[in-house]
Amino acid sequence: MLKFLGRRLLIALPTMLVIATLAFGLLHATPGGPFDTAKRMPPEIQRSIEAKYHLDEPLWRQYLRYLNDLAHGDLGPSFQYRNTSVNELVRAGLPVDAVVGSLALLTAMLVGGFTGTVAALRRNSLWDHVPMFFAVLGISIPVFVTGPLLILVFAVQLHWLPSGDWRGIDIRYLLLPVAALALPYTAYIARMVRGAAIEVFTSPFIRTARAKGLPTRTVVLRHALRPVLMPLVSFLGPAFASVLTGSIIIESVFGLPGIGRYFLTGAINRDYTLVVGITVLYGALIIAFNLLADLCYAWLDPRVRLQS
Amino acid sequence: MRLSKILKCSLCQRRLAGAALALAMTLTAALLAACGGEGQGPDVPVVSSIRVGTGLAADQTLRRALDAMPRTLDPSLLTDVDAQKVTDDLFEGLTALGLDGSMVPGVATSWEVSADGKNWVFHLRPEARWSNGDPVTSADFIYAWRRQVDPKTGTEYAQALAPIVGAMAVATGHAPVSSLGVDAPDPLTVRIALNSPTPYLLFLLADSFMQPLHRATIERWGDDWTRPEHWVSNGPFVVKEVVIGNRITLEKNPLYWDAASVRPNQVIYYPLETLTQVGRFMAGDIQFASIFPNSQFKWLKSQLGDQVVTGPYLGISQMEVNMLGPPFAMSRDLRLALNLALDRTILANKVGEGLQEPAFSVVPPLPGYRPQIPEWASWSDERRHAEARRLYAAAGYSAAHPLRVQLDYPTGEDNRDVFDAITAMWLTNLGAQVEPYNEEFRVLLQNLRLHKAALFQNGWIGDYPDPFTFLQLFQTGFDQNFSAYSDPAYDALLSAAAQEADPARRFRFFEQAERRLNEEGVSIPIMYYTSRHLVKPYVKGWQLNIQDRIVSRYMYLLEHEGG
Amino acid sequence: MNAAILPRPARAAGQWRQSWERLCRHRPALVALALLGFVVLLALLVPLVSPYDYATPDWDELYQPPGGGHLLGTDGLGRDLLVRVMWGCRISLLVGIAASLVSVLIGVLWGATAGYAGGTTDSLMMRIVDILYTVPFIPLVIVLTVLFGRSFLLVFVAIGAVSWLDIARIVRGQTLSLKNREFIEAARALGLSNTTMIVRHVVPNLLGVVIIYATLTVPTVILFEAFLSFLGLGVHAPLASLGTLISDGANHMKSHPYLLTIPAVFLTLIVCSFSYLGDGLRDALDPREQR
């Protein structure tokens, strides 16, 4: 086990390097630079700005300089928000996404898991068709529709909740964005759990357990849970990494100061350091959560050996 | 056997029932969608009615929206319109913005200009103060302006000071900073030497790039001077808090020389997407929205009535052609054909919902300037279309051999419909096959710089209310002359205007130049921009102006209930 | 060995026919198939039959609600919504099905190989997946459009590059669990090659999860294509896909709700059909199920 962990952490380093390099290269390959506005600058001033941000150096030098800073935990200055560092932006935005994202995914896991299981147990009844219909809706209707719709109903017409803004851990301000973000994930999870649960419930060993007269609850919890959780865990790893680095649409619809929006404006404004920095962060999260997922596999299914 | 068959049957039946139920729900939804939508929103106005009193509200906190998060609050370094909106509240230049958007005395109480229009003297008021108590002196202006043109500072718009003697020489590194044509003979006097008579100088002086800076603060804190804890400015407000991506909070500057007349205690700016602004406004969380979608104009008007405010904005949406190669460079007939075949009234009234004015020439309406509207603008549709077809044929195109060209435009929310309509019009009226192609902004900018696009949109917003800022777009050598139009006669007219001290005669030169532009058809104007706002009925002390610079200091909130 | 404990063996020819018969008996799946077929038929026929086309504006008929001359109403340029939605269905179905199929294929093969191989191969393959997860998408698409111009094929590449990753992970997870079961050992003892093992023994046991995930991928892909059009990729205006119709409609949510609800209903119908079809397929392919 420890050997496994050690190996994975060792591999993580070169993986991160590749991620950083790819992102760096990709950003610099995109046409247009961060200081390209419609108004052209006199060359002298252009040179001065570029010198300040080291954009005048050959690309490989900039790359090495960036890696060096990265090794020290410094993600560099933001090119679009002058006089602000990427570290600062991430420090300010990450808690927002962490709160909204984890609440949304937890809700999705609970609600989706429960609904999916019940749907599988009461297959082809109303308990199955009704929630699954709503699951289909949840998947087909995009967030940029549900978000404004929720605002329209609960904030504008009913005045029950505020229409957005970030006020820390305040349930009134969190309810709508979490609900909007949780909806598609709930739908996904519900359908996946139902599918996996149906597989499991019709498998021989479950029928044996039931034939033995074990109550449904025991059957579900003790025998069926683990196989059902397997695909869920695979899905949740990247899902967590993704919500932690922000959902662009939720942030713009509700006006939340999260990382997702910076990422979008950063890509559009060619803010090299910001985009690469967030990508590196995302990479670290992906690696971490996928590792966690692998550990979960081993725990859920004792037959899984993590190395052959 | 029979029993199991029956069981099987009932299982089937249950399955069928379930499926039918789901289907029924879907169909119901479809039916509802089909029948329910009458094309209008809910019959009852969404926002509850607001009752406004006559006295001042207890809480004078203004909540305004911005289109995007300002990239910096340093007035020299900023490049975006949103940042300038905020610095308009934080700094005061020699001149300032009045309630109606005109120039009023700011830090300067009076000024004189020499007979040849090239030398200005400004007298500063002795009571002007920085927010830390220091007096505002002429040295603060000299410092700021030198910093603006100094290449070492790395500002993105040093050309703002181009009219000043020596500015461009300093900016391009050919002269020391001290050679800039400004000086301060005493702490209360500023002198400016200009290259040529510049009637719009007073407007320039209220721009963020010309505002004074507190030297000691910048030298002490460097790039960090814009942080709230180090902030020093001389305007009606100072920065209290910046939460990137969420809000900027300003509070009243008690040491501002005219603080007594500043009504709001606090101003909070929220950077929000367009649609989000509408939602927040209707929920009552912001009081002054900076924009709303064109396509929602009629509906918002029906819901909010007078809270929807629009007015002319100093800018034009236009298309330009590439004068460096086929198909437009050699064929004036083709350029004019496209111009005439555009049904601008339809675009303005139908696609634009009547929000924007159709544009027939490059320069928007300006006081004292005679609009150069081409003759064909007043023709009947039939006559205009016939002439367009004649020109199209004269250029060598026909149904068998139609024009095939791509129209590049930047991705934007309202653009797609407009350009779909335009290309459809050209197809119907001429038979020309113009393909609309949206590109991400910076990619488009690159293509324009390299003159790769044959036909493209180039929206332009004027820096100051003067024809030159628009006509300059077609001047040989201007760095945003993306059409590469080069006409010695046109350039000569612009130079003559630059040297002319008399404002009326100067305008005549511009009018001639614009006529020439119309004859050449290099620009295909579409519409003039409008500024659009949503304003709560209890917010007073503001007026629309052509540059859409509405400062917070005159605004105040009346008592109100609801909304 | 007790036959009841053995999971599915490899498929014999006769079993495909059995599965097909089972599918035919699965009523909801049949209804879904019929519905899908109906939508496809509409999408193909309506634009041919309708007097309107998707591009020509009609200045006198802006924002007409459904009913009257235009069955589903008109949009902001007076274009017939029914024809536009039908074209949208064409494009979205094409993109949705094709891209989903491709990404499922790649994802299943990649994930199964990685999970079955284990060790260094697995590690390497999964690290590649990790890296691909993190590639910043917008710059990637921009670079692609600059390099390759604006071809519709690029849409498939762009979508395909991203959507197989989740499936690969899920499949790998399932494979890890499967490969240590007795039947695999039994088959291995028979001396079957690795490819045969993966394709004929591992993959069929994954089908359940894969089908579910495939049906979940279709709407994601369709909406993703709408996002791409903002970057200049995807359908060329004035043509529209269901995704772009929905995102345009979202801008008119308060003023002209039918512009949003109508394409959304069609998308929901399509997704619903795929879901039920997926259910039917999964049931049909599972020989252990008893009616």
Side-chain angles (χ1 to χ4, degrees):
Chain A
M1 171 64 132
L2 275 174
K3 226 167 99 180
F4 170 73
L5 267 177
R7 252 201 220 167
R8 282 293 283 269
L9 287 174
L10 209 63
I11 290 195
L13 233 56
T15 316
M16 293 285 291
L17 190 63
V18 174
I19 291 175
T21 312
L22 263 181
F24 187 87
L26 201 57
L27 257 297
H28 281 267
T30 345
F35 299 107
D36 253 2
T37 48
K39 303 186 200 293
R40 224 5 167 352
M41 285 177 264
E44 192 58 41
I45 298 191
Q46 180 109 20
R47 267 195 288 275
S48 171
I49 295 184
E50 288 179 353
K52 187 173 185 186
Y53 288 96
H54 304 292
L55 288 173
D56 53 344
E57 291 175 0
L59 207 58
W60 61 265
R61 251 247 194 98
Q62 292 185 48
Y63 172 62
L64 288 176
R65 177 189 290 276
Y66 185 77
L67 284 184
N68 183 35
D69 288 341
L70 199 60
H72 290 100
D74 176 12
L75 294 173
S78 162
F79 287 171
Q80 57 173 333
Y81 297 113
R82 296 185 74 156
N83 312 336
T84 321
S85 73
V86 177
N87 287 54
E88 239 183 286
L89 292 173
V90 169
R91 232 178 306 142
L94 194 55
V96 178
D97 291 317
V99 170
V100 176
S102 13
L103 281 178
L105 272 185
L106 284 172
T107 314
M109 287 188 333
L110 286 172
V111 176
F114 180 72
T115 324
T117 316
V118 169
L121 281 173
R122 303 260 180 277
R123 205 165 157 213
N124 293 318
S125 71
L126 272 169
W127 285 103
D128 182 15
H129 288 296
V130 171
M132 283 308 114
F133 175 70
F134 281 107
V136 166
L137 275 184
I139 302 168
S140 342
I141 306 211
V143 174
F144 57 80
V145 173
T146 52
L149 204 60
L150 284 172
I151 293 180
L152 188 61
V153 171
F154 290 101
V156 177
Q157 287 194 317
L158 294 173
H159 287 284
W160 285 355
L161 291 168
S163 62
D165 203 4
W166 171 254
R167 303 283 175 95
I169 314 271
D170 182 340
I171 186 150
R172 287 175 308 144
Y173 287 89
L174 286 177
L175 205 57
L176 290 183
V178 169
L181 185 57
L183 196 60
Y185 288 110
T186 313
Y188 256 68
I189 291 176
R191 281 203 61 79
M192 276 188 8
V193 167
R194 173 185 178 272
I198 286 178
E199 289 254 306
V200 167
F201 287 156
T202 55
S203 77
F205 80 101
I206 290 291
R207 263 181 278 133
T208 317
R210 265 183 159 166
K212 279 201 215 163
L214 288 173
T216 316
R217 193 159 30 118
T218 321
V219 171
V220 168
L221 287 178
R222 206 181 294 162
H223 296 282
L225 199 63
R226 290 178 172 195
V228 168
L229 282 180
M230 289 286 282
L232 204 58
V233 161
S234 317
F235 168 71
L236 282 176
F240 260 108
S242 171
V243 292
L244 282 183
T245 45
S247 157
I248 297 172
I249 300 176
I250 296 281
E251 288 172 25
S252 21
V253 167
F254 292 95
L256 304 173
I259 307 182
R261 266 164 105 190
Y262 302 154
F263 193 71
L264 181 66
T265 52
I268 293 176
N269 292 326
R270 311 292 192 267
D271 190 346
Y272 299 143
T273 39
L274 186 58
V275 175
V276 178
I278 294 181
T279 305
V280 165
L281 175 67
Y282 183 50
L285 287 173
I286 286 271
I287 290 178
F289 279 106
N290 282 346
L291 177 57
L292 218 62
D294 281 357
L295 291 176
C296 279
Y297 292 152
W299 175 63
L300 287 173
D301 186 346
R303 285 173 300 192
V304 170
R305 285 185 293 243
L306 289 171
Q307 39 210 24
S308 66
Chain B
M1 254 326 199
R2 259 204 184 160
L3 201 63
S4 56
K5 263 198 185 155
I6 293 172
L7 267 173
K8 275 193 188 169
C9 221
S10 69
L11 273 167
C12 282
Q13 280 173 359
R14 273 205 290 161
R15 281 246 185 96
L16 200 58
L21 183 65
L23 211 62
M25 283 196 259
T26 321
L27 286 171
T28 321
L31 271 166
L32 281 173
C35 302
E38 289 199 23
Q40 303 303 320
D43 287 315
V44 180
V46 169
V47 178
S48 51
S49 52
I50 305 173
R51 278 184 301 278
V52 182
T54 47
L56 286 180
D59 177 21
Q60 292 289 321
T61 301
L62 205 53
R63 292 173 208 280
R64 303 179 61 170
L66 295 171
D67 293 354
M69 185 74 195
R71 293 173 56 177
T72 175
L73 289 180
D74 183 327
S76 323
L77 294 180
L78 62 86
T79 49
D80 47 326
V81 174
D82 299 295
Q84 170 145 292
K85 285 186 181 161
V86 182
T87 56
D88 277 350
D89 284 340
L90 294 167
F91 288 91
E92 190 179 62
L94 287 175
T95 50
L97 290 154
L99 178 56
D100 58 353
S102 62
M103 292 300 112
V104 299
V107 178
T109 50
S110 61
W111 46 85
E112 298 98 39
V113 56
S114 61
D116 64 355
K118 292 195 206 176
N119 291 293
W120 293 71
V121 181
F122 291 85
H123 305 285
L124 310 187
R125 66 183 71 244
E127 66 271 26
R129 293 275 175 279
W130 290 99
S131 53
N132 67 350
D134 293 348
V136 178
T137 65
S138 49
D140 298 325
F141 286 91
I142 308 298
Y143 169 70
W145 298 342
R146 286 187 178 162
R147 183 173 179 265
Q148 179 76 20
V149 289
D150 187 349
K152 285 201 279 297
T153 320
T155 61
E156 292 181 45
Y157 196 37
Q159 296 100 308
L161 276 68
I164 300 182
V165 166
M168 292 322 286
V170 176
T172 48
H174 296 133
V177 178
S178 50
S179 69
L180 184 64
V182 297
D183 80 305
D186 62 72
L188 291 179
T189 312
V190 175
R191 284 202 294 236
I192 307 180
L194 301 172
N195 290 316
S196 60
T198 313
Y200 51 88
L201 181 69
L202 293 179
F203 284 99
L204 275 185
L205 290 173
D207 254 0
S208 64
F209 314 107
M210 302 291 280
Q211 279 158 352
L213 292 171
H214 193 252
R215 181 180 195 150
T217 307
I218 299 178
E219 286 183 345
R220 180 169 176 203
W221 299 109
D223 281 346
D224 281 348
W225 79 267
T226 52
R227 290 177 189 277
E229 57 268 24
H230 306 312
W231 183 267
V232 173
S233 64
N234 73 327
F237 298 93
V238 289
V239 176
K240 181 176 173 200
E241 168 195 48
V242 175
V243 180
I244 293 202
N246 184 252
R247 63 179 181 271
I248 299 178
T249 311
L250 310 182
E251 65 180 1
K252 185 165 162 175
N253 174 10
L255 291 178
Y256 174 59
W257 66 268
D258 199 14
S261 71
V262 175
R263 312 276 198 125
N265 296 326
Q266 253 196 356
V267 182
I268 309 182
Y269 281 101
Y270 296 96
L272 298 167
E273 316 287 310
T274 314
L275 274 173
T276 317
Q277 284 195 29
V278 176
R280 287 265 187 112
F281 181 83
M282 290 176 104
D285 293 331
I286 58 174
Q287 303 144 343
F288 201 107
S290 62
I291 199 169
F292 57 80
N294 273 349
S295 54
Q296 299 281 285
F297 176 52
K298 290 214 173 86
W299 180 79
L300 282 170
K301 205 76 183 156
S302 73
Q303 298 291 305
L304 298 173
D306 288 337
Q307 296 176 49
V308 180
V309 174
T310 64
Y313 184 46
L314 194 66
I316 182 174
S317 172
Q318 61 172 344
M319 290 174 281
E320 292 181 33
V321 302
N322 189 335
M323 293 297 282
L324 284 180
F328 295 107
M330 272 65 73
S331 179
R332 173 146 61 119
D333 287 338
L334 182 61
R335 305 196 293 264
L336 290 175
L338 289 182
N339 239 313
L340 265 72
L342 209 53
D343 297 318
R344 291 170 174 82
T345 4
I346 291 182
L347 279 178
N349 294 335
K350 305 272 181 166
V351 183
E353 299 228 354
L355 254 183
Q356 295 174 329
E357 286 296 305
F360 295 94
S361 56
V362 168
V363 180
L366 287 171
Y369 185 81
R370 286 184 275 209
Q372 299 303 305
I373 303 192
E375 196 206 333
W376 49 262
S378 51
W379 289 354
S380 70
D381 282 353
E382 294 80 32
R383 186 172 169 202
R384 190 166 45 81
H385 289 169
E387 175 67 7
R389 278 192 287 272
R390 186 191 70 76
L391 288 164
Y392 185 66
Y397 296 97
S398 60
H401 175 231
L403 172 69
R404 284 206 173 90
V405 77
Q406 185 174 283
L407 169 59
D408 289 21
Y409 66 93
T411 311
E413 51 179 72
D414 294 318
N415 281 350
R416 200 188 292 177
D417 274 356
V418 171
F419 291 102
D420 278 358
I422 289 177
T423 47
M425 280 176 192
W426 279 333
L427 185 63
T428 321
N429 296 338
L430 289 176
Q433 292 172 6
V434 180
E435 199 197 311
Y437 178 34
N438 74 308
E439 283 175 300
E440 197 246 340
F441 176 65
R442 271 194 169 70
V443 175
L444 177 63
L445 196 59
Q446 197 89 321
N447 287 338
L448 293 184
R449 290 238 177 88
L450 297 171
H451 300 295
K452 276 202 211 161
L455 180 62
F456 54 93
Q457 190 224 17
N458 188 17
W460 190 252
I461 297 180
D463 292 332
Y464 39 83
D466 187 271
F468 184 56
T469 183
F470 292 94
L471 296 173
Q472 190 182 31
L473 204 52
F474 300 96
Q475 194 176 32
T476 310
F478 185 57
D479 53 14
Q480 282 130 92
N481 183 351
F482 296 130
S483 63
Y485 176 64
S486 182
D487 179 359
Y490 181 79
D491 295 337
L493 284 168
L494 290 186
S495 310
Q499 294 309 314
E500 179 58 61
D502 176 60
R505 277 208 290 273
R506 183 170 170 270
F507 273 11
R508 300 294 91 77
F509 280 123
F510 286 142
E511 286 158 13
Q512 263 186 285
E514 199 185 0
R515 267 201 294 282
R516 190 151 175 82
L517 217 50
N518 288 344
E519 283 161 21
E520 289 297 305
V522 179
S523 153
I524 306 176
I526 311 174
M527 288 184 280
Y528 296 124
Y529 289 139
T530 37
S531 63
R532 330 157 226 166
H533 296 284
L534 300 173
V535 188
K536 292 289 183 188
Y538 50 85
V539 176
K540 301 292 181 194
W542 58 273
Q543 276 181 38
L544 286 183
N545 58 66
I546 201 173
Q547 284 195 285
D548 198 25
R549 291 170 71 182
I550 304 177
V551 290
S552 306
R553 57 165 298 185
Y554 303 110
M555 293 182 169
Y556 56 95
L557 306 175
L558 294 177
E559 301 171 307
H560 58 277
E561 270 169 46
Chain C
M1 277 196 186
N2 191 334
I5 303 176
L6 266 179
R8 285 162 276 198
R11 298 189 143 267
Q15 289 194 301
W16 287 107
R17 171 169 307 152
Q18 272 186 2
S19 303
W20 174 250
E21 283 172 0
R22 244 195 303 273
L23 184 62
C24 288
R25 276 182 282 156
H26 192 282
R27 294 290 177 90
L30 282 184
V31 172
L33 201 57
L35 199 61
L36 213 54
F38 180 59
V39 172
V40 170
L41 212 63
L42 275 183
L44 289 174
L45 291 181
V46 167
L48 296 174
V49 166
S50 168
Y52 307 109
D53 72 81
Y54 67 83
T56 312
D58 185 347
W59 306 115
D60 300 318
E61 300 270 316
L62 300 190
Y63 291 121
Q64 293 302 309
H70 294 270
L71 218 58
L72 291 181
T74 61
D75 67 359
L77 288 183
R79 300 177 289 202
D80 182 56
L81 195 59
L82 176 60
V83 173
R84 282 177 70 76
V85 170
M86 287 303 115
W87 274 95
C89 285
R90 282 189 191 187
I91 292 172
S92 292
L93 279 171
L94 181 65
V95 172
I97 296 176
S100 302
L101 273 178
V102 168
S103 55
V104 165
L105 200 66
I106 301 178
V108 167
L109 288 176
W110 190 278
T113 313
Y116 187 75
T120 328
T121 322
D122 174 26
S123 203
L124 191 63
M125 288 178 88
M126 281 303 117
R127 297 296 76 74
I128 294 180
V129 168
D130 284 349
I131 292 172
L132 286 177
Y133 261 120
T134 63
V135 169
F137 197 70
I138 297 174
L140 176 67
V141 172
I142 294 177
V143 169
L144 285 178
T145 48
V146 169
L147 287 177
F148 298 114
R150 231 182 130 196
S151 75
F152 204 64
L153 189 62
L154 211 49
V155 177
F156 291 99
V157 172
I159 296 178
V162 170
S163 23
W164 65 269
L165 300 171
D166 272 340
I167 298 185
R169 278 201 59 76
I170 291 178
V171 164
R172 176 211 175 233
Q174 298 293 89
T175 312
L176 280 181
S177 178
L178 274 176
K179 80 176 178 183
N180 295 305
R181 297 240 203 116
E182 301 83 359
F183 81 98
I184 294 288
E185 297 204 9
R188 216 182 283 147
L190 289 172
L192 296 175
S193 77
N194 279 338
T195 326
T196 320
M197 287 299 302
I198 293 174
V199 174
R200 298 195 75 211
H201 290 265
V202 172
V203 170
N205 280 286
L206 299 166
L207 277 178
V209 168
V210 170
I211 290 177
I212 295 292
Y213 211 82
T215 61
L216 289 174
T217 312
V218 171
T220 318
V221 162
I222 291 179
L223 290 171
F224 197 54
E225 185 271 327
F227 173 68
L228 287 177
S229 74
F230 286 113
L231 297 174
L233 202 58
V235 282
H236 312 187
L239 200 55
S241 66
L242 280 183
T244 53
L245 284 173
I246 290 178
S247 64
D248 284 347
N251 291 337
H252 296 94
M253 191 162 39
K254 302 188 198 75
S255 53
H256 308 283
Y258 68 92
L259 284 176
L260 172 62
T261 46
I262 290 178
V265 163
F266 274 92
L267 181 60
T268 309
L269 274 175
I270 291 175
V271 174
C272 219
S273 310
F274 274 113
S275 299
Y276 277 105
L277 197 57
D279 274 359
L281 272 176
R282 198 213 44 249
D283 285 350
L285 292 170
D286 183 359
R288 296 174 305 169
E289 284 246 336
Q290 303 211 338
R291 295 281 169 268

